[in-house]
Amino acid sequence: MADGHGRSNEQLYKRACEVIPGGVSSPVRSFRSVGGSPYFVARAEGAHVWDVEGQRYLDYVQSYGASILGHAHPAVVEAIRKAAGEGTSYGAPTEREVLLAEAIAERVPGCDMVRLVSSGTEAAMSAVRVARGFTGRDRVVMFAGCYHGHSDALLAAGGSGVATLGLPASAGVPAGAVADTVVAPYNRVPEVGRDVACVLVEPVAANMGLVPPQPGFLEGLRKACDAAGALLVFDEVITGFRLGSGGAQGVYGVRPDLSVFGKVIGGGLPLAAFGGRRDVMDVLAPAGPVYQAGTLSGNPLATAAGLAVLDLLDEAAFTMLAGRAAELGPALAGVIEEAGFAVQVPVAGPLLGLFFADAPVTDYEQAKASCGSGLYAALFRALLERGVALAPGPYEAIFPSLAHTHADIEHTLDQARAAIASVPPPG
Ligand SMILES: *Cc1c(COP(=O)(O)O)cnc(C)c1O
């Protein structure tokens, strides 16, 4: 249906595909893994987005976690509006950068110092460079199923269930770029040799569906890093300022040497950060020899949005958010089970996952087995038809926001009951 200006989802997608590869600015948005074509968002408010045809969706994507208060929160919008009137970028330091760095350092146990960048990709890439510069070592250990953005060295593919030197996970990544990247299975403490600069991990994996750390995993990584003189880097781009004000490191009580943030911290604007121990962060130029820079780093609009968000994220907010997830998770699992499907709905604080599997998923091999069933795509489509938007891919987490009400959760469960009834059972 067009809106009178010839802007149906279909029409826009067709035009987009002519001028944008795959029609999207980031691959998961394309609906390739769930079928069909994407809805084009016209606007959003709170827990909902509206597409260009006027269709409303209860939104569990929330910009993959960048929006934690819900869309267009008045305090964030006002902060951005005010900041914009004062200029959008200066190429000189500002007070808000200091305030945001202070706010992060105050909240996150492992962060004495912080540098602001513009994307999670940049933050993870820079943290690894800092770890290499600080240790004088090249090797990086990461985990299959974790995502750290799309820098060459971190686009490495894992082998099947064993630690392997990475192979490029994308065309265009030279073998040399991942020659020092080791990919190990998640939730098992790998061997960490004395040639390892850092072990990089999502403390709660949220890019292979949601896979929480097994007891002892994060503690084991800390020990292995200490024994080898390697740095432990937590990629908290999703967990930071979402699991609690101290992120996953606050919840699990394991202190990394470096941390990577994004998504929540920018309040929906392009902002990310990495931080850590003072002696480690001191290697950064101009204080030290590790180069890292950015024209738009610490952008005045983005810092304004980030500060406005952090200002509203008190303990009550995190409790409420986790409460919503606790309300939705087991009930959603119940609804899907009643329909005859084996399902796992893991919950970690305010984050949820959805696997069609008969036992909890603990690593990427198991996640892939579940995601290969096609059931997620079927449920996704049936829910979308009913106005509930999950992410258009089985490897994404479910992100309730602070704008999701009890009634929204009830509505989700009702729609899920109807949606799953339309999905043919397996076999
Ligand atoms: C999203 C994400 C990134 C990359 O952030 P971008 O801002 O998309 O570059 C890195 N790490 C994790 C854990 C993420 O979820």
Side-chain angles (χ1 to χ4, degrees):
M1 195 187 16
D3 68 350
H5 305 280
R7 291 191 310 157
S8 73
N9 291 317
E10 272 305 324
Q11 285 165 339
L12 276 176
Y13 187 54
K14 249 181 90 189
R15 280 168 57 191
C17 286
E18 288 298 316
V19 287
I20 302 173
V24 290
S25 300
S26 196
V28 71
R29 299 178 195 170
S30 73
F31 279 41
R32 288 272 165 109
S33 65
V34 290
S37 57
Y39 51 91
F40 278 66
V41 175
R43 68 187 177 91
E45 189 184 330
H48 296 93
V49 299
W50 284 260
D51 70 15
V52 292
E53 299 174 6
Q55 173 73 44
R56 187 181 87 149
Y57 305 94
L58 181 55
D59 181 31
Y60 285 99
V61 183
Q62 294 288 330
S63 191
Y64 296 92
S67 167
I68 194 170
L69 303 175
H71 297 290
H73 189 285
V76 177
V77 172
E78 187 45 41
I80 296 169
R81 190 170 277 146
K82 181 163 177 295
E86 295 164 355
T88 54
S89 187
Y90 315 121
T94 65
E95 183 181 18
R96 279 199 294 275
E97 293 169 77
V98 183
L99 293 174
L100 187 57
E102 284 173 351
I104 295 170
E106 256 165 40
R107 286 165 173 78
V108 182
C111 278
D112 304 324
M113 300 190 95
V114 177
R115 182 157 279 179
L116 304 179
V117 295
S118 301
S119 73
T121 293
E122 235 189 308
M125 174 186 83
S126 303
V128 166
R129 187 178 304 149
V130 164
R132 285 171 160 170
F134 180 79
T135 58
R137 304 171 180 180
D138 290 340
R139 191 147 286 189
V140 173
V141 177
M142 56 180 272
F143 296 90
C146 286
Y147 179 64
H148 306 292
H150 60 93
S151 67
D152 281 358
L154 303 179
L155 270 188
S160 262
V162 288
T164 46
L165 264 177
L167 299 167
S170 161
V173 173
V178 291
D180 285 306
T181 308
V182 175
V183 183
Y186 195 76
N187 264 325
R188 269 179 272 167
V189 178
E191 257 178 57
V192 179
R194 298 205 63 87
D195 57 347
V196 171
C198 67
V199 173
L200 172 62
V201 68
E202 283 182 76
V204 174
N207 284 288
M208 51 170 151
L210 187 75
V211 180
Q214 299 282 96
F217 176 56
L218 299 175
E219 294 83 350
L221 294 181
R222 180 68 275 175
K223 261 197 206 122
C225 284
D226 288 344
L231 300 186
L232 179 58
V233 185
F234 277 5
D235 182 341
E236 300 233 37
V237 168
I238 284 184
T239 52
F241 311 99
R242 182 170 290 273
L243 260 57
S245 62
Q249 58 198 273
V251 171
Y252 292 96
V254 174
R255 186 174 298 201
D257 303 293
L258 288 168
S259 304
V260 180
F261 301 100
K263 301 198 168 108
V264 170
I265 192 72
L269 269 73
L271 190 146
F274 63 101
R277 273 165 48 187
R278 184 174 304 279
D279 59 327
V280 176
M281 290 297 284
D282 261 339
V283 302
L284 275 169
V290 174
Y291 190 70
Q292 186 280 329
T295 301
L296 296 179
S297 290
N299 175 265
L301 269 60
T303 51
L307 283 165
V309 169
L310 285 193
D311 195 41
L312 292 169
L313 289 178
D314 55 11
E315 283 315 305
F318 291 117
T319 304
M320 186 171 143
L321 207 51
R324 290 285 178 262
E327 197 180 340
L328 178 58
L332 181 61
V335 160
I336 297 173
E337 263 161 21
E338 273 166 32
F341 296 90
V343 71
Q344 303 292 322
V345 181
V347 177
L351 289 166
L352 301 120
L354 176 61
F355 292 112
F356 286 93
D358 50 22
V361 169
T362 60
D363 66 19
Y364 188 46
E365 293 299 309
Q366 295 166 8
K368 273 194 297 192
S370 155
C371 294
S373 70
L375 289 170
Y376 181 90
L379 178 61
F380 166 87
R381 287 192 300 267
L383 272 173
L384 195 68
E385 268 172 32
R386 290 166 175 81
V388 177
L390 299 181
Y395 292 109
E396 311 302 329
I398 299 171
F399 294 98
S401 75
L402 281 161
H404 286 71
T405 62
H406 172 72
D408 289 330
I409 303 291
E410 295 277 288
H411 178 74
T412 303
L413 292 169
D414 289 343
Q415 299 311 312
R417 200 170 287 113
I420 195 70
S422 76
V423 175

